[in-house]
Amino acid sequence: MASRPAPVPHPDEAAKQVALADLSGELLALLRPGGEVVDANSAWTELLDFEPGMGVDALRQRLHEDDRLAFEEARRTVLQGGDVHGQVVRFLAPDGRWLELEWSCRLLADHGLLAIRGRDVTEQRQLAREHDRRARHLEQVNDELREFAYVASHDLSEPLRMVTSYLDLVRRRYDEQLDDTGREFIHFAVDGAHRMRALIDDLLRYSRIGGALPDHAPVDLDALLRTVCQDLEETIGEAGATIEAAPLGTVVGDATMLGQLLQNLLVNAVKFRTAERAPHVTLGARRTGGTLVLEVSDNGIGIDATQLERIFQVFTRLHSRDEYDGTGIGLSICRRICERHGGTITARSVPGEGTTFVVTLRDEAVGA
């Protein structure tokens, strides 16, 4: 009868733990309360060049001097039975680099040992600092650009107002002395000045929205829409437009900015109309997934699908000024207002049938 093979012995539990510890990229070690290293995994010994038996004094000497006090306070906390989690210290590596190590430590009272776990977060923290530096630089550049846009627009307003005034004066005083060509020249100059004035005003609005922090107060969108429609009464009447709105509810936001958003969308809907039918604009809102979704639909000329993202860029015009006036900033202002409220704006459209603008705002509603 053949003999059975001898069973393979199970590895020692301690050996398994050592093997698992050596597979970890974290720095793991056991220390005596006095600071001597009892045992450590491969990551500890390779990165820190510390071997069992070495003391905490050798570790302390390689700490950055600005971190030694915090290290000692953390050590006292652990020896008194407390835990330390996520403390970062700078440590001089054998190759001369300063490593940033994140430590957690606790006292194993039953064994009289300190268990330490560390992670090398040097690259992670360097990337975070670089990200913060770039973010601060970008914010500084944006602030400078906003200031430049505001100052440039403001300083241009006065000489432009003077040019427009003198052109109007010339037209009134010397109209009878001008021939048709002269009158046409004056008309072109006045029209150009008015268009430049509209551009300056839109630039001022755009720069102010970028720099201002929106207020956070309850805004009754239905009341706000009524006010906007009253302000646009002449524009709506001249176009023969109808505005139909379902209950929109109340959100928390900046009433002035949200009013500008509604006004720009309504003006846009009324302006880009077809010759065959009067503008008809519908507004509706719903709440879903913590978000208020506002939709503004029209029956206008529509937008080609390839242009639906481009229309929100500053100074973008899809039509000549002979077809439709404007500065190409209105929808850019809408997007900026939405972003300042933590939301978005997109569009869907069928050329020749109409466009729907979809606005999402964080639903901090106090009423529906």
Side-chain angles (χ1 to χ4, degrees):
M1 182 174 177
S3 61
R4 296 166 117 186
V8 178
H10 292 288
D12 179 76
E13 190 67 26
K16 286 199 299 182
Q17 293 179 2
V18 169
L20 289 173
D22 283 340
L23 288 174
S24 173
E26 295 184 325
L27 292 79
L28 306 173
L30 294 173
L31 276 67
R32 292 192 177 91
E36 299 83 10
V37 178
V38 175
D39 200 2
N41 70 341
S42 298
W44 174 288
T45 57
E46 291 173 4
L47 187 65
L48 303 185
D49 195 27
F50 265 72
E51 299 290 346
M54 299 182 71
V56 73
D57 289 337
L59 179 67
R60 188 187 297 108
Q61 291 173 5
R62 289 164 65 180
L63 288 175
H64 193 284
E65 60 181 7
D66 293 341
D67 296 337
R68 290 174 184 171
L69 179 60
F71 173 81
E72 291 300 331
E73 291 177 352
R75 185 172 175 230
R76 283 194 295 270
T77 297
V78 174
L79 290 176
Q80 293 170 4
D83 293 346
V84 172
H85 294 288
Q87 183 179 36
V88 177
V89 295
R90 286 160 291 181
F91 186 85
L92 186 62
D95 60 5
R97 293 181 300 127
W98 282 105
L99 302 177
E100 295 185 69
L101 306 178
E102 183 182 86
W103 295 99
S104 296
C105 184
R106 77 169 41 172
L107 176 66
L108 304 178
D110 294 343
H111 303 280
L113 297 173
L114 303 179
I116 296 182
R117 182 184 68 188
R119 292 192 306 129
D120 182 3
V121 295
T122 307
E123 183 177 355
Q124 174 185 335
R125 288 171 66 87
Q126 287 175 344
L127 289 174
R129 284 193 292 270
E130 177 63 16
H131 179 271
D132 290 343
R133 185 192 68 79
R134 292 190 178 190
R136 288 193 300 271
H137 176 68
L138 181 60
E139 183 62 28
Q140 179 182 356
V141 170
N142 285 337
D143 287 343
E144 291 172 353
L145 286 174
R146 283 192 292 266
E147 183 66 18
F148 171 78
Y150 179 81
V151 171
S153 300
H154 185 270
D155 289 350
L156 283 171
S157 296
E158 188 55 37
L160 181 61
R161 188 180 296 110
M162 182 183 68
V163 169
T164 305
S165 298
Y166 275 101
L167 285 171
D168 286 336
L169 185 61
V170 168
R171 181 169 56 182
R172 290 195 305 270
R173 182 170 297 183
Y174 299 102
D175 184 69
E176 294 181 357
Q177 302 176 35
L178 295 172
D179 58 14
D180 291 341
T181 301
R183 294 189 186 94
E184 186 179 35
F185 289 165
I186 293 292
H187 171 75
F188 287 153
V190 171
D191 182 63
H194 285 317
R195 282 192 276 110
M196 184 177 291
R197 178 66 191 179
L199 179 60
I200 289 173
D201 289 342
D202 281 350
L203 278 173
L204 281 170
R205 278 193 287 270
Y206 188 79
S207 63
R208 285 168 179 161
I209 291 170
L213 291 175
D215 291 334
H216 291 282
V219 178
D220 185 339
L221 293 179
D222 299 292
L224 187 63
L225 177 61
R226 287 193 294 270
T227 300
V228 170
C229 288
Q230 288 173 1
D231 293 341
L232 297 177
E233 185 175 1
E234 183 176 348
T235 299
I236 294 172
E238 288 179 352
T242 55
I243 311 296
E244 181 182 347
L248 304 181
T250 303
V251 294
V252 174
D254 187 298
T256 301
M257 289 188 185
L258 294 176
Q260 183 72 59
L261 171 68
L262 291 175
Q263 177 173 309
N264 284 7
L265 291 177
L266 289 182
V267 168
N268 201 75
V270 171
K271 179 196 301 183
F272 295 100
R273 58 185 183 270
T274 67
E276 296 79 20
R277 54 184 180 265
H280 179 70
V281 187
T282 61
L283 296 92
R286 67 182 187 276
R287 288 191 166 90
T288 176
T291 300
L292 172 70
V293 181
L294 173 67
E295 294 193 356
V296 181
S297 301
D298 63 56
N299 63 342
I301 61 174
I303 304 167
D304 187 271
T306 60
Q307 305 294 330
L308 289 178
E309 178 59 29
R310 183 168 168 260
I311 58 175
F312 296 104
Q313 298 174 5
V314 181
F315 301 128
T316 295
R317 294 180 54 88
L318 304 184
H319 309 277
S320 70
R321 288 189 176 87
D322 292 335
E323 296 176 290
Y324 300 97
D325 63 359
T327 61
I329 299 181
L331 289 176
S332 303
I333 292 175
C334 290
R335 170 162 284 185
R336 179 162 276 197
I337 291 172
C338 291
E339 290 173 347
R340 298 297 281 173
H341 284 77
T344 62
I345 182 171
T346 56
R348 60 178 185 267
S349 183
V350 177
E353 296 184 14
T355 302
T356 296
F357 287 93
V358 182
V359 173
T360 65
L361 301 172
R362 286 182 300 186
D363 189 2
E364 299 177 89
V366 296

